[in-house]
Amino acid sequence: MSSSVVTRFAPSPTGMLHIGGVRTALFAWLFAKKHSGKFILRIEDTDTDRSTEDNIRIIEEGMLWSGLIWDEGPDPKQPGAWLGDQGPYRQILRMNLYKSKITELLDQGKAYRCRCTKESLEDRRKASDRAGKPFQYNRGIDFGRGCRDLRYDDSAPSSIRFAMPLDGDILLHDAIKGTIRFPSESLDDWIIARWSEPGDIGVPTYNFSVVVDDVAMKVSHVIRGDDHVANTPKQIPLFEALGYTLPVFAHVPMILGKDKQKLSKRHGAASITEFKDLGFLPQAVRLTLAKLSWTPKIDGRVAESAEEEILTDAQLIASFNLEDIQTSPSVFDIDKLYWINQKLIMNSTNEFLIQALNPFMPPSWSSREKKWQELAVSCTKERSRTLKEMAESLSFCWEAPQVFDEKLILKHLSESHRQALRSVSALNNWTTEGLREGLDQVLLQHQMKLKDLAQALRVALTGGTISPPIHETLLLLGPEEIKRRLLRWI
């Protein structure tokens, strides 16, 4: 396959960027990279009632965080500018192009003005319901009652409909699902431009605009969710009516929650912003999503060990094929995402994690000594599933406990424990080696086991029984803060 491969991700800015959309974008991105092609980000904002500038920003930021960097689309460094020569990459700014194409279809008799009001259409829909038939404009019991043969001009308010084929079948050759046949008689003439005043062409609809844009932007492969399958038999005749060559269609299956229902907020995080805020790494999200309805391979074989499951982007790109995508819905397992994320955190360099933790830490984090930061990261990354968990496990460094559990006090801060804490407070060598030797002397002096002293120190210093290893906990707090916090107990 040549480098003429062009894919696109075209979300509507009507809400948060859903994880299912990111998985679709990922597949389009992987395919473009596999074939040295281009990946386009295009904003489908013709739904003017629901599309907002904030949602466009959320989409762009979510895509950038996910690592799905587009070759053409909005310029993230310069608002209002575009990458690529087919801009603008927002539908609302491309109205002149759409309307010129609609005019061509009207002139050729392939589209027509429809003067049917919402009220008249609703009356006919109710009549179809009473007859036990689906309502189809200019089809079935409605045949001959439409505007198709009346050739109205633009002297009255109207919408514009596309004249669909009256007979035969529409064939969708899908790269994932195979060939799907749609009888033309099951499809009605659909609206390509919304209701408008005399002499005007209304706002074009999604199914029209998307076809014009895919052609203008030379999209070779339309990779999108299978909720768009029903749109495709409408779009195929439009491609042909406009004289366009059909792209390759590939509809990826939806993502389900563990209850086999469509993934939503009730299953936990559902948008890419939520996963970012929970402290997942972009690579972990990409890898987890890639494995939904597709099984990546290494040198032609499925991963055989846990280590082999942690694939790089280069490995994903090299093994990606549309034909390998399964047709059935996939179940999103957030536990798997946690596992992959933990593996990636464990394998990350301290320097990377120091920077990655910035959004989850107080401002003073970035001003701490590099050696201190490295200690904080190294003693928490082995047991943390997310960046947020790493930050939470280090919160004792910034916040001294104010409230203590009475049960913990009774168990871990008895008089004998407090005597040992006095000895710890009196230590004067707080280097790594000096601290170890000092704690050994305290244990010997008070005939105490390390685990008992460690828990007493944790409760006194952090308010709980969980912290990094006790030596690292003490080194992170430092002697002055330790002595200040121990004063309460000694």
Side-chain angles (χ1 to χ4, degrees):
M1 194 172 295
S2 70
S3 59
S4 60
V5 165
V6 178
T7 65
R8 49 74 164 176
F9 177 53
S12 298
T14 55
M16 303 299 286
L17 182 56
H18 191 272
I19 199 72
V22 177
R23 195 277 303 267
T24 300
L26 172 64
F27 282 177
W29 181 82
L30 288 172
F31 188 79
K33 297 304 175 185
K34 169 72 175 286
H35 299 286
S36 301
K38 291 182 179 180
F39 173 62
I40 296 173
L41 174 62
R42 186 175 74 220
I43 306 299
E44 313 248 334
D45 57 349
T46 54
D47 186 346
T48 53
D49 292 334
R50 298 174 62 206
S51 299
T52 68
E53 294 296 325
D54 282 345
N55 287 337
I56 292 175
R57 176 183 53 78
I58 287 170
I59 287 171
E60 293 179 8
E61 290 177 354
M63 291 288 288
L64 291 171
W65 179 83
S66 301
L68 304 180
I69 310 302
W70 53 93
D71 302 294
E72 296 184 15
D75 188 340
K77 297 180 180 179
Q78 188 177 351
W82 314 104
L83 302 174
D85 55 7
Q86 297 298 332
Y89 293 87
R90 287 182 59 179
Q91 285 187 336
I92 200 67
L93 302 177
R94 299 172 65 82
M95 290 294 123
N96 289 339
L97 172 62
Y98 305 144
K99 292 183 178 183
S100 70
K101 294 300 180 183
I102 289 173
T103 300
E104 289 179 17
L105 293 176
L106 287 170
D107 292 342
Q108 296 168 7
K110 297 176 181 178
Y112 58 92
R113 290 188 175 272
C114 174
R115 295 184 178 180
C116 298
T117 63
K118 288 183 179 180
E119 292 76 16
S120 66
L121 290 172
E122 184 60 28
D123 289 342
R124 287 152 64 181
R125 184 173 287 105
K126 290 178 180 178
S128 294
D129 290 342
R130 289 193 293 270
K133 302 286 186 180
F135 173 71
Q136 293 175 279
Y137 190 87
N138 204 41
R139 289 284 199 281
I141 66 171
D142 210 52
F143 187 76
R145 299 175 63 192
C147 302
R148 183 167 181 163
D149 300 318
L150 298 178
R151 298 189 179 276
Y152 285 124
D153 59 22
D154 62 356
S155 61
S158 65
S159 57
I160 299 175
R161 291 182 182 268
F162 177 64
M164 290 285 285
L166 293 174
D167 51 31
D169 291 335
I170 298 170
L171 297 180
L172 165 60
H173 300 290
D174 194 282
I176 296 172
K177 296 179 176 295
T179 298
I180 305 175
R181 186 181 300 270
F182 301 89
S184 293
E185 64 183 15
S186 68
L187 302 163
D188 58 2
D189 295 351
W190 52 283
I191 292 175
I192 60 177
R194 298 178 178 89
W195 192 264
S196 66
E197 296 303 312
D200 194 13
I201 292 176
V203 177
T205 57
Y206 163 80
N207 276 310
F208 180 83
S209 303
V210 72
V211 169
V212 174
D213 285 342
D214 282 343
V215 173
M217 297 177 186
K218 300 179 175 60
V219 174
S220 63
H221 292 72
V222 174
I223 301 170
R224 57 190 179 187
D226 62 4
D227 53 329
H228 287 283
V229 168
N231 292 327
T232 313
K234 297 179 180 180
Q235 295 172 1
I236 289 175
L238 180 59
F239 273 101
E240 296 169 345
L242 290 169
Y244 297 155
T245 301
L246 289 177
V248 175
F249 292 101
H251 292 89
V252 302
M254 69 172 59
I255 302 175
L256 306 178
K258 286 187 176 181
D259 58 0
K260 303 301 176 66
Q261 299 299 309
K262 187 175 181 180
L263 188 67
S264 66
K265 201 171 183 67
R266 70 177 180 275
H267 298 104
S271 74
I272 198 65
T273 303
E274 291 172 294
F275 285 98
K276 175 184 176 182
D277 292 343
L278 285 171
F280 288 101
L281 298 175
Q283 184 184 350
V285 174
R286 291 196 300 272
L287 183 52
T288 303
L289 292 179
K291 295 184 177 185
L292 297 178
S293 297
W294 176 57
T295 303
K297 297 177 181 178
I298 305 172
D299 299 327
R301 61 179 178 79
V302 177
E304 297 176 353
S305 66
E307 289 71 23
E308 286 185 338
E309 282 198 62
I310 308 301
L311 302 177
T312 64
D313 286 339
Q315 289 173 312
L316 291 176
I317 291 169
S319 64
F320 187 78
N321 287 299
L322 291 175
E323 295 78 8
D324 292 337
I325 297 175
Q326 302 162 12
T327 58
S328 56
S330 54
V331 175
F332 179 74
D333 183 356
I334 196 167
D335 292 333
K336 185 70 171 181
L337 173 57
Y338 274 114
W339 181 85
I340 290 175
N341 203 66
Q342 184 171 22
K343 289 290 185 183
L344 289 171
I345 286 176
M346 291 170 60
N347 295 335
S348 295
T349 65
N350 290 345
E351 186 171 355
F352 168 81
L353 291 174
I354 288 170
Q355 296 301 315
L357 278 170
N358 276 331
F360 303 93
M361 290 297 200
S364 55
W365 165 257
S366 58
S367 63
R368 298 300 291 261
E369 292 183 358
K370 183 70 172 295
K371 185 178 180 180
W372 187 93
Q373 291 177 325
E374 289 179 342
L375 174 63
V377 166
S378 63
C379 71
T380 54
K381 70 178 185 179
E382 295 291 328
R383 60 187 68 193
S384 299
R385 299 180 303 168
T386 66
L387 296 172
K388 187 176 181 181
E389 287 185 3
M390 287 184 71
E392 289 172 348
S393 68
L394 292 167
S395 62
F396 71 91
C397 297
W398 326 103
E399 302 170 5
Q402 302 300 319
V403 179
F404 293 83
D405 188 320
E406 289 296 330
K407 292 181 180 179
L408 294 181
I409 294 174
L410 290 172
K411 183 176 181 179
H412 299 291
L413 291 174
S414 66
E415 181 56 34
S416 60
H417 290 118
R418 298 188 189 201
Q419 290 176 7
L421 297 185
R422 291 190 189 97
S423 298
V424 173
S425 182
L427 295 176
N428 52 30
N429 187 345
W430 290 87
T431 64
T432 302
E433 189 57 37
L435 181 60
R436 291 188 181 278
E437 292 178 357
L439 288 184
D440 287 342
Q441 292 173 6
V442 172
L443 293 174
L444 184 61
Q445 177 185 351
H446 295 277
Q447 295 296 293
M448 185 178 289
K449 294 181 179 179
L450 177 60
K451 65 177 183 178
D452 295 327
L453 177 60
Q455 292 300 71
L457 284 166
R458 286 191 175 97
V459 173
L461 297 172
T462 72
T465 57
I466 300 174
S467 79
I470 195 60
H471 293 87
E472 283 79 357
T473 296
L474 297 176
L475 288 170
L476 288 171
L477 284 174
E480 292 183 5
E481 182 64 16
I482 289 170
K483 292 176 181 179
R484 188 182 70 81
R485 295 189 188 187
L486 288 182
L487 279 175
R488 176 173 189 155
W489 307 104
I490 61 176

